[in-house]
Amino acid sequence: VIGSYRCFSATSPNNSTPKEEKMRVAIVGAGASGLAAALHLSPLVSRGLLHTVDVYEASSANAVHPHCITDGHTSGDESDGNVDEDFHPGSGSVGRPIGVGIWSTALRPFAFTGWPSHANLLKQLEHSGKYVGQVGYKTPAAGSWLARSELDEGGVDPTRENTDPSLLFLKESDLLGALRNAAMTEEALGNIKIRYGSPDGNATGDGDGSTEVKAIVAHSDGFSGSLVFKDGSKTDERTPYHLIISAEGMTSQLRSEYAGRNVRSMTHLSTGMSSLGGMKSAQRVSSELREEWEEDIQAEINSLEDRGYTVFRGNSPLTDEEAQMDGISFQTWGVGRSMRFAAVGMSTPSPSGRADVESQVWFATTNDRSIASIDDPAERRAKLADHFRTWHDPVARLIESTPSQDILVERGVAHRHSTRPVYDLAAIIEHERRVDERARAKERGEEYREPSKPVDHDGPGPVLIFVGDASMAVDPVLAQGFTIGMEAAADLSETLQKCSGPEYAVNVSESSEEDSNPQTLLFDPDRLRFELKERHRRRYDRMMALLRATELVQAFAQPSGPFGSFLNRWLIRPAMRLTPNFAKKPMFDFMVRYSLGLTAGGANNIVEMTRERK
């Protein structure tokens, strides 16, 4: 048993008719991961397992998303001048016109549910983009092929047994638009309710006040809570949430507030931060020192790490013939300076509905900070093209042919650690309250008296989980950012089915015998926590497969340090050029499958899950 609740029993404690309560789910963030989660949960709402899923998005539904912003993100000491980097806040609720990739492991679940909006969503996504075919790695100067392979261009088809990975490229705005259209369909059916913000910070549609979630309040029943918004308003306490999903992106407010804490054991050293705490028990130290230690650990777990490079993205209007790419997408890694360049052919529907529009999606990285610091877009584009001038064709031409104002600039950052779900939210909220009280007492010059015993919580509160970049933002080396988040959404639906419904009903009542209004939960809170722990283990293994593959690709393609660069230039790359492609292709294909968790004994359960649905 994970939580301590007021009273759980298999039958009602008295003769009163119990009030039945289905699980209520709130999703914070209406980006790709948040909308995908809502869509995957919609069938459960229709089947009567969940209440209508509420989605809260801080930004407006039609907000114009900035290309890049300067938010004071610090990547080093101010003395080094490493401040005010161009740092992008994410896709937002609308998305950008930049091309993005979605792997078939994120698309397959929509094909096998038999749910109309899911089928229409997949159809719209495939209509909006193009599956990638031939791919490979090139050398910077000569453009010689180091390795080549082919991805499955057949896409996701429920009638096909083939599970070879496919990669769909489409505009980010088209991805978000298709997800919103599907969500609107489910909204009309009463399965989803989305509340967007407006430019002035007020809610749109029904309800007044902000839609930007800042905190959570735990309820006295021990298994539910309410959301607190930026303006101080709260969600209706009569309809509390039992599961809260943070899909706010890498700068998640809920992650920074609640993740990385365990106020009972104070042990967060499993992430490899042994240098931050040498004590096994929090009882060895004073409350003040314990809180300082815990704050350091929590800050470390939730910190974003500057990866040492800037990312530039664009859509070149050159056709495949004009770019002379021969229909082959490529990635090129330089020797040092974090220089990389990739280009993928994309085909999108024209506004007139006639012939599709060809373009070449590209991204470039470099550790040269001077390029991003140029304010004038045309001058910045020219400097970037000159930076890659000695590289093979069509690298510089793709940069120069892209409208300068449409080139996205963002600093390369990623989370240092992933974060686990929060199962003891009520205790964390109570801990934070005491910290605030102690700080206020200190400001008033008063002595704060610690309660003689901890507050007796009626239960652990609602469960808080994280999906997408809120869970862990990673390097974009293998183009799996959106894929990871959408996979997690599908897995969540499978998880909730294992603890929701009349067969998992639990009767809950007040401790007092006078209670005349018992309540029946149509889900098991303890089993919910158990199943979410199992899900976290699966998602952790899946993430580790991606991280290992990413590190391996980087180690071979762009090793760090003078010695690594020397080996790469004079040993690794010459050996790869001399090795015939029929010997390299299986290794290339294995790495792709491994990064997606699709190898034998792999960590990704999506394929098996969709087979069971079929």
Side-chain angles (χ1 to χ4, degrees), residues 28 33 245-253 255-256 259 302 415 417-419 465-473:
V28 183
S33 297
I245 303 169
S246 169
E248 309 155 272
M250 69 171 67
T251 57
S252 166
Q253 169 68 21
R255 169 170 176 156
S256 63
N302 292 319
H415 281 119
H417 308 280
S418 64
T419 187
I465 67 172
F466 306 89
V467 297
D469 283 351
S471 175
M472 187 175 190

Side-chain angles (χ1 to χ4, degrees), residues 145-150 575-590:
W145 288 106
L146 293 173
R148 285 180 59 180
S149 186
E150 293 184 20
M576 290 186 66
R577 283 197 297 267
L578 294 174
T579 304
N581 197 63
F582 72 83
K584 293 182 288 187
K585 184 178 182 298
M587 292 187 292
F588 183 99
D589 295 342
F590 175 83

Side-chain angles (χ1 to χ4, degrees), residues 272-288:
M273 296 168 293
S274 56
S275 62
L276 291 179
M279 302 181 184
K280 296 295 184 181
S281 172
Q283 297 176 352
R284 296 186 182 182
V285 293
S286 66
S287 297
E288 188 172 346

Side-chain angles (χ1 to χ4, degrees), residues 244-494:
I244 299 168
I245 303 169
S246 169
E248 309 155 272
M250 69 171 67
T251 57
S252 166
Q253 169 68 21
L254 296 183
R255 169 170 176 156
S256 63
E257 187 73 22
Y258 303 113
R261 297 187 186 277
N262 188 331
V263 297
R264 291 194 177 111
S265 66
M266 297 290 183
T267 53
H268 278 294
L269 308 183
S270 59
T271 51
M273 296 168 293
S274 56
S275 62
L276 291 179
M279 302 181 184
K280 296 295 184 181
S281 172
Q283 297 176 352
R284 296 186 182 182
V285 293
S286 66
S287 297
E288 188 172 346
L289 183 57
R290 182 172 72 242
E291 286 158 10
E292 182 180 345
W293 173 51
E294 183 198 358
E295 291 298 323
D296 288 343
I297 295 175
Q298 202 247 356
E300 166 69 15
I301 290 175
N302 292 319
S303 62
L304 286 168
E305 180 180 55
D306 191 300
R307 305 297 285 175
Y309 59 82
T310 304
V311 183
F312 301 84
R313 306 174 191 263
N315 291 346
S316 168
L318 296 181
T319 65
D320 180 75
E321 182 178 358
E322 292 169 338
Q324 298 179 339
M325 289 175 55
D326 298 324
I328 308 174
S329 302
F330 68 85
Q331 212 176 123
T332 303
W333 293 61
V335 180
R337 302 186 69 182
S338 297
M339 291 180 67
R340 289 175 289 176
F341 191 93
V344 179
M346 185 173 68
S347 180
T348 56
S350 66
S352 64
R354 297 176 183 176
D356 288 347
V357 177
E358 283 189 62
S359 62
Q360 311 304 317
V361 180
W362 60 266
F363 85 87
T365 69
T366 177
N367 64 6
D368 188 340
R369 300 176 182 273
S370 65
I371 301 176
S373 65
I374 299 174
D375 293 330
D376 180 66
E379 184 181 347
R380 185 168 59 225
R381 179 187 60 183
K383 182 71 176 292
L384 180 64
D386 288 341
H387 194 61
F388 286 88
R389 186 69 63 187
T390 59
W391 284 35
H392 65 82
D393 190 64
V395 171
R397 287 198 296 123
L398 291 177
I399 297 172
E400 292 173 326
S401 60
T402 304
S404 60
Q405 69 275 11
D406 293 339
I407 296 178
L408 175 70
V409 185
E410 55 190 359
R411 190 65 185 166
V413 294
H415 281 119
R416 292 181 178 179
H417 308 280
S418 64
T419 187
R420 68 187 68 176
V422 180
Y423 305 108
D424 54 352
L425 193 56
I428 293 173
I429 293 171
E430 173 63 21
H431 172 76
E432 287 296 306
R433 185 184 67 80
R434 293 188 184 184
V435 171
D436 292 341
E437 287 180 354
R438 183 177 288 106
R440 287 194 293 268
K442 188 175 182 180
E443 289 177 359
R444 295 192 300 265
E446 301 174 358
E447 180 182 357
Y448 175 77
R449 294 186 178 182
E450 191 78 29
S452 58
K453 65 177 183 177
V455 174
D456 183 18
H457 294 289
D458 293 320
V463 181
L464 172 63
I465 67 172
F466 306 89
V467 297
D469 283 351
S471 175
M472 187 175 190
V474 297
D475 282 314
V477 174
L478 298 175
Q480 292 192 35
F482 283 113
T483 298
I484 285 284
M486 294 172 69
E487 281 180 14
D491 199 359
L492 178 62
S493 173
E494 293 292 310

Side-chain angles (χ1 to χ4, degrees), residues 215-253:
I216 300 171
V217 174
H219 288 188
S220 60
D221 58 17
F223 45 81
S224 67
S226 299
L227 302 178
V228 181
F229 299 104
K230 185 178 180 180
D231 63 359
S233 62
K234 302 177 185 178
T235 53
D236 193 339
E237 293 186 357
R238 295 170 298 179
T239 55
Y241 298 111
H242 307 101
L243 175 63
I244 299 168
I245 303 169
S246 169
E248 309 155 272
M250 69 171 67
T251 57
S252 166
Q253 169 68 21

Side-chain angles (χ1 to χ4, degrees), residues 153-196:
E153 295 183 78
V156 178
D157 186 347
T159 64
R160 299 172 65 215
E161 283 294 334
N162 184 30
T163 59
D164 290 337
S166 301
L167 178 60
L168 177 67
F169 252 79
L170 72 168
K171 291 180 180 179
E172 186 181 84
S173 54
D174 288 340
L175 167 65
L176 270 294
L179 288 167
R180 281 201 312 276
N181 288 341
M184 289 172 62
T185 299
E186 295 301 326
E187 209 169 7
L189 297 173
N191 296 328
I192 299 174
K193 176 62 179 177
I194 306 179
R195 294 170 174 83
Y196 287 99

Side-chain angles (χ1 to χ4, degrees), residues 193-214:
K193 176 62 179 177
I194 306 179
R195 294 170 174 83
Y196 287 99
S198 62
D200 60 3
N202 294 320
T204 57
D206 59 342
D208 296 323
S210 173
T211 55
E212 182 176 349
V213 177
K214 303 297 290 185

